[in-house]
Amino acid sequence: MKSRSPGLVSLVGAGPGDPELLTVKGLKRLEGAEVVVHDRLVSAQLLDRAKSSARRIDVGKAPGVRRWPQSRINTLLVAEARRGRRVVRLKGGDPFVFGRGGEECEALVAAGIPFEIVPGVTSAIAAPACAGIPVTHRGLASAFAVVAGHTSAPLEQLDWAALVRVGTLVILMGRARLPEIVALLLRHGMSEATPAAVISHASTGLQQAARGSLADIAARARELGSPATVVVGEVVDLSERLAWFTPGEAAGPTAREGVVA
Ligand SMILES: C[S@@+](CC[C@H](N)C(=O)[O-])C[C@H]1O[C@@H](n2cnc3c(N)ncnc32)[C@H](O)[C@@H]1O
C-alpha cells in the first residue's frame, strides 16, 4: 500500500492582536490551511480568514484553566501532518518569542515532518509602538532586552545586574509580578525615577496604557487587564509626544468577546 506523504506544518505568527498585523505570507497560509491549531489570544477575525471547512483547534488556555500540555500539541501537529494535511500552527506575536515554537519544530524534525516558520509581529516591539514608545532611540537607548516576567524558574535567576544596564527593558508576562520585578530593578541600581509603562491589549480596541516611573508604575497599572507588556527605560517618556493610537479606530477586537478564549 502506498503511504501518504506528510503535509506541511506552518508555524505562523499572528501578531499582537490587530488582525491586520498578520503578514501577507501568514494570511496566505491561513487561507490555504486544512487544520488551524491556535492559541487563545488569536482574534476571531483572523480565524474567520481560514476556509469554513478548515478544522479549528483551540489549544490555548483561559486564565486559571489547564492548557493542553506541550507534548499533546506536538503529537497533534505530527498526526495531522502525517494525514497529509496543510496545518497552520497560529501563535500570538512571533512564534519564536516566548512562544515555544522551537519546541514544536524539534518535535516536527524528530518525526520527519516538513515545516516552515512565518515570523510574526511580536508584542515585545508592537505593544510599546502602539503606545508611542520606540524601543530604541538615538541618544536614549541603543539596545533593548526582552525578558519573561513569569518564568517557572525564580525571577532572581535572571542576570538583573546586566539587564539594568541594557537600555530599554521589555517584560512580557510580567503584569502579575510587577511589584517583584520593580523591586529587583531597584535593588540592582535602577533609579525610582526611571520611566516605565504598561500596555494591555495593545493594537486592539481594548488597548489601555499606564505610564509613570518605577516608583509608581505597579500602582498605576493595577487596573489594567491581560495580556500586558511592561516597558522600562528613558524611551517611555517619548510617548508624551508620540502617542498616536486610538483604540476606537482599531481594526482588532473591540470587545472581550472578540478575543478567542
Ligand atoms: C506567552 S507570551 C507570547 C509572546 C508572543 N510570542 C509575542 O511574540 O508577542 C504572551 C505575552 O505577550 C505579551 N502580549 C501578547 N499580546 C499582547 C498585547 N496585545 N498587548 C500587550 N502585551 C501582549 C504579554 O506580555 C503576554 O503575557
Side-chain angles (χ1 to χ4, degrees):
M1 201 171 75
K2 214 172 130 197
S3 68
R4 197 197 294 266
S5 57
L8 173 74
V9 177
S10 305
L11 271 81
V12 176
D18 175 350
E20 293 186 359
L21 288 177
L22 178 71
T23 64
V24 174
K25 189 166 187 170
L27 181 58
K28 280 185 186 162
R29 293 296 182 271
L30 190 56
E31 288 172 344
E34 293 162 291
V35 180
V36 180
V37 179
H38 65 88
D39 290 341
R40 183 178 66 93
L41 287 173
V42 169
S43 76
Q45 286 117 306
L46 259 194
L47 292 174
D48 285 347
R49 302 303 296 259
K51 289 183 290 216
S52 55
S53 60
R55 195 172 153 216
R56 293 156 173 79
I57 306 170
D58 179 358
V59 295
K61 65 164 180 185
V65 177
R66 236 173 94 74
R67 61 173 284 154
W68 280 44
Q70 188 61 51
S71 57
R72 192 173 162 209
I73 298 173
N74 297 349
T75 304
L76 172 72
L77 296 176
V78 169
E80 292 294 342
R82 282 205 173 125
R83 288 189 188 108
R85 307 240 162 87
R86 274 168 293 152
V87 181
V88 161
R89 173 68 176 109
L90 194 58
K91 300 170 88 72
D94 180 89
F96 277 3
V97 178
F98 299 126
R100 306 189 73 169
E103 290 167 55
E104 291 174 11
C105 290
E106 283 179 329
L108 295 168
V109 168
I113 304 290
F115 71 93
E116 65 175 352
I117 312 297
V118 182
V121 175
T122 178
S123 57
I125 294 171
C130 287
I133 304 170
V135 289
T136 66
H137 191 80
R138 197 152 53 94
L140 289 183
S142 56
F144 67 98
V146 183
V147 178
H150 168 71
T151 60
S152 42
L155 280 172
E156 282 80 0
Q157 282 183 10
L158 288 171
D159 187 351
W160 292 98
L163 287 172
V164 295
R165 291 197 303 271
V166 163
T168 304
L169 276 187
V170 179
I171 302 152
L172 301 187
M173 302 171 281
R175 169 74 191 73
R177 294 176 79 177
L178 189 52
E180 228 180 301
I181 292 165
V182 167
L184 281 162
L185 293 173
L186 297 178
R187 198 184 316 151
H188 288 86
M190 259 194 184
S191 155
E192 277 203 329
T194 309
V198 177
I199 308 104
S200 70
H201 295 282
S203 82
T204 76
L206 297 169
Q207 177 171 318
Q208 284 188 299
R211 197 159 51 83
S213 67
L214 284 184
D216 60 10
I217 192 62
R220 285 175 185 264
R222 201 171 287 139
E223 302 300 318
L224 263 56
S226 178
T229 292
V230 181
V231 194
V232 179
E234 300 301 326
V235 289
V236 168
D237 280 346
L238 288 167
S239 66
E240 265 176 51
R241 285 182 285 125
L242 305 185
W244 60 275
F245 187 82
T246 312
E249 292 167 11
T254 51
R256 282 183 200 284
E257 307 84 80
V259 176
V260 174

